[in-house]
Amino acid sequence: MNYKINGKSFSAEPRPGQCLRTFVRDLGWFGVKKGCDAGDCGACTVWLDGKPVHSCLVPAFRAEGRGVTTLQGLAHNGALHPMQKAFLGAQAYQCGFCTAGMIMTSASLSEEEKKDLPFRLKGNLCRCTGYHAIDDAFHGVVSVEEDKAGHACGASLQSPLGESIVTGNAHYTMDVAIEGMLHLKVVRSPHAHARIKAIRREKALAVPGVHAVFTWEDVPRRLYTTATHDDFHVDPDDTYMLDNVARFIGQRLVAVVAETEGAAEEACRLVEIDYEVLPAVFDPEEAMHPGAPILHQAADAESRIQDAGHNVFIKIEGEVGDVEKGFAEADAVYEGTYYTNKVQHAHMETHGSIVWRGEDGRIHVRTSTQTPHLTKNKLAYLFSMFPQQIHVFTERVGGGFGGKQELLSEDLCMLAVLKTGRPVKWEFTRTEEFTSTVSRHPMKITIKLGAKKDGTLTAMQIRNVSNTGAYGNHGGEVLASSLGSAMATYRCSNKKGVGYAVYTNTVPSGAFRGYGATQPTFAIESAMDELGRELGIDPFALRRKNMLEDHDPVQSIWDAPSDAVMGSYGFDQCFDLVEKALASGRGEKKPEGEDWLEGTGIAAHAQDCAPPTEHRSEAHLMLQPDGTYHLAIGSGEFGNGVTNAQRQVAASVLNTRAGNVTMDFADTDRTPYDTGTFGSTGTSVATLAVNKAADALKESLLDVASMLTEMPASECRIENDHVQCGNRSITLKDLHATSPFRDKLHVSRKAYNSPRSTAFMVHGFRIAVHRVTGEIRILQSIQAFDGGTILNPMQARGQVEGGIAQGVGTSLFERMVFDNTGAVINPTFRNYRIPAFADIPRSEIYFADTCDRYGSLGAKPVGEAPIIPVSAALGNALADATGVRFESLPFSADRIFAQLAEVKK
């Protein structure tokens, strides 16, 4: 068959049933992405004879004799297409994984079609941006600023990977072809709780192309946790690589390695397993009752599971002051129980790894992870190897949101490489992301508040039952976080909390953007409004009365000394900015008709800028022979913009252009140790290491220049490409060539997550609710954020907008639904709906004017926290509109309708 792809002719025969997406990628056009393989996300969009199609739905043979255009063929004679230029100028991407499909659809639209973007872009999903930068691209908004020496800090500089993203040449995890590569697939448990009695693999091994079938008897029998933390003791060792006990539907049980994905999948279907089905428990409260099925029977102290007999991985409690006395002194007491939903990260790039043994005899792991160095260490532990025998790296990661702070694909690929000697690839399906990876912890939170008549809080008490699922990865740290920052947001002398991370026979929970703070913030901020309503105090006034002030300790439920501090204070500014915006009259008007109700709601939060457990990073920075700089830092880039921020910090200190700083990142061979990029540490720890390294290199270069020019170092300063010492000048290139001290041309500095500063945020919504249908329309959305010095305003706005969009989705309609057997019944984007372009309003974004004394150039992290107050603010607006408190997420139309109908009875 003859094909024409991006103007080039090919003669090739697609496999029977092969779709156009995989066919084009087999020919080397990796700009076509896989987000769902179901026609739901649009990441695979290409043009077929000039018309956009989802290539995962088009049989490859139908493209015979027709013109296929991918993003890599959109530019003409080296000149970018106008839509590529527009996306580049507006930086209408973050991780960039969806960008190929988004640009292909956008570039196909006529001027008339561009007038209805909510409809025209309904087939293209983006999890990162919140869509506003994409809208800017359509309207010719150029957010990118010129890269000028001495002006890097505070400038909206383009991502160094921007052009590769908009041209489709950025390489994500699966965007390589390795000769002789095998494919791995797994058999997953159909039962929520079962013991394997026998596995028969003969039929599977008989499938042509199958090389191996691995069971629990073929893997190292070493307990571990899939979570990646520097201090691994915070997580339980409760997991085997492959186990003879299944604890949730979707748990991997058998791995098959074959020449093709099709052969591996066919062999998986032929593996025969005999099960002893065991009783299962899905509700965490029931799981703690005597007589409930026990998930981890043989747990001992080495596993770090505190109470296996009651399915409790860990119980955490604490008290400051005397809560009982505080409630006795209160004039008003409110108590309520709130429920948060299990939601998926829905990063556009699914989990996956490609592993091979190199010519150097070492194992090389190309993977989609937020923690390369920790992943390397964990693989070394599992396979009893020296860490230096393993190389782990990422190139470009298509989103993470905490979901890739896990070891989920690397281990089995490495096992297969060690057993077969061939390169092995494993790419998760979208369904597997829902049924078999990790998701946000559902929580049942009871909050009790007491206050004086003037609104002064006298007592705060919280009880949290967190569903950690079948395994405890992140269960303890998320639980501790849920009892931390949300309880520290307000001043109160008497605070008490208790929390339980409980095992159930459901999909494991894990790290998720907001990391345990979003759920209690929903409960506490809802309770604050209810308490204010009882006292007759305005929501702004009640919060101002009790909010942390700049002289207060940052204290939750623990009386011990803490390294949580306030390096800058902009909480008051955030409240003022949101209150003024809500009073401005901006935004949309309430729809006409008496069935539409209008309400306003706010929520506030004070978030620590790094996790309390160990986190460290080291930066290497050097002057190169050509007079530019090279930075090596282990943190990961997956749309968070951290690499851009890091080079901007280095450039600012060294008084040069950011473009003069090249980088290596997220590669255990080429970068020094870094715990990983999660919990806001990309800015608060890794970028601080860069700042320290840049300061040290600057001092060293000035010393060398002083010696070479025979001028005092105090009279020397770096000016872009040279050092000016009084009236004498030496270029950095010459300085490198003539320096007698080679050790002064490169430096190393480390940073740690202590002390931990505090970021502040306030979100406000004005919404309309239809009292009959339950539909919610967001009329106005505002977030004010204290992020200290804003290193890159364009990126910071994008992170806030993306966090808001994710929060809107998880608040209004996202929810993993389980049947009575414990199976996820909506494991696709079609049935688990994430926000599309039409769902997200344009938010007003404001930044407080502060400079953090502990942060890099005064900066605080902005990427993680914006999601935290969104659900609470929406819930308060909904209660204000309807007079009914909705205590369970999400606020989907059917649930609003049902609860309002119940109230009418």
Side-chain angles (χ1 to χ4, degrees), residues 223-225 233-239 247 294-315 468-473 501-503:
L223 281 168
Y224 71 107
T225 173
H233 295 97
V234 301
D235 301 301
D237 283 343
D238 58 6
T239 305
R247 295 177 176 87
I294 299 174
L295 272 72
H296 296 274
Q297 293 273 1
D300 55 22
E302 289 187 4
S303 72
R304 297 182 291 281
I305 299 174
Q306 283 188 1
D307 185 0
H310 293 91
N311 290 312
V312 175
F313 155 44
I314 192 170
K315 175 184 178 182
T468 195
Y471 295 94
N473 42 301
V502 184
Y503 289 114

Side-chain angles (χ1 to χ4, degrees), residues 45-219:
T45 302
V46 301
W47 288 355
L48 195 57
D49 289 340
K51 300 292 184 182
V53 297
H54 289 181
S55 61
C56 69
L57 298 181
V58 178
F61 75 86
R62 289 188 179 173
E64 183 185 14
R66 302 170 71 181
V68 178
T69 306
T70 77
L71 183 60
Q72 289 163 289
L74 197 58
H76 184 66
N77 293 330
L80 295 182
H81 185 280
M83 191 57 70
Q84 290 173 307
K85 290 181 180 178
F87 268 63
L88 198 60
Q91 193 146 310
Y93 53 85
Q94 286 183 22
C95 84
F97 197 79
C98 74
T99 304
M102 191 73 73
I103 290 179
M104 293 308 294
T105 298
S106 302
S108 73
L109 301 179
S110 67
E111 291 304 314
E112 185 63 28
E113 289 171 329
K114 290 177 184 177
K115 294 177 182 179
D116 190 6
L117 293 179
F119 175 74
R120 297 298 172 183
L121 295 180
K122 66 180 182 178
N124 290 85
L125 299 177
C126 174
R127 190 56 153 174
C128 296
T129 65
Y131 299 101
H132 301 147
I134 295 170
D135 187 53
D136 285 344
F138 274 95
H139 292 90
V141 175
V142 177
S143 301
V144 171
E145 297 176 352
E146 184 180 352
D147 183 7
K148 298 179 181 178
H151 298 277
C153 180
S156 294
L157 301 187
Q158 178 181 300
S159 164
L161 299 171
E163 188 154 335
S164 68
I165 290 172
V166 303
T167 57
N169 293 317
H171 283 181
Y172 294 80
T173 309
M174 296 295 152
D175 295 343
V176 293
I178 299 178
E179 188 176 350
M181 186 158 61
L182 300 177
H183 298 265
L184 188 147
K185 290 290 181 180
V186 298
V187 179
R188 298 191 179 276
S189 172
H191 303 291
H193 201 189
R195 181 174 289 107
I196 294 175
K197 298 172 66 177
I199 300 176
R200 290 177 294 279
R201 45 185 142 183
E202 293 78 15
K203 293 180 181 178
L205 286 167
V207 174
V210 170
H211 284 253
V213 177
F214 302 118
T215 74
W216 67 276
E217 295 175 302
D218 303 307
V219 301

Side-chain angles (χ1 to χ4, degrees), residues 378-451:
K378 188 153 291 195
L379 290 171
Y381 161 77
L382 285 173
F383 291 99
S384 300
M385 294 172 66
F386 292 108
Q388 57 265 35
Q389 295 175 284
I390 303 169
H391 169 217
V392 177
F393 70 102
T394 72
E395 192 165 353
R396 183 74 181 174
V397 176
F401 312 113
K404 294 175 180 176
Q405 194 190 339
E406 304 276 348
L407 186 81
L408 295 178
S409 61
E410 299 87 351
D411 53 341
L412 286 183
C413 285
M414 185 164 163
L415 171 77
V417 170
L418 293 172
K419 295 284 190 179
T420 67
R422 297 267 297 273
V424 175
K425 168 186 173 181
W426 185 16
E427 183 179 16
F428 281 34
T429 67
R430 180 56 59 184
T431 292
E432 286 178 310
E433 288 293 325
F434 284 97
T435 63
S436 309
T437 62
V438 295
S439 41
R440 190 173 76 176
H441 289 74
M443 294 181 181
K444 175 187 176 183
I445 299 173
T446 299
I447 185 74
K448 185 177 181 181
L449 302 178

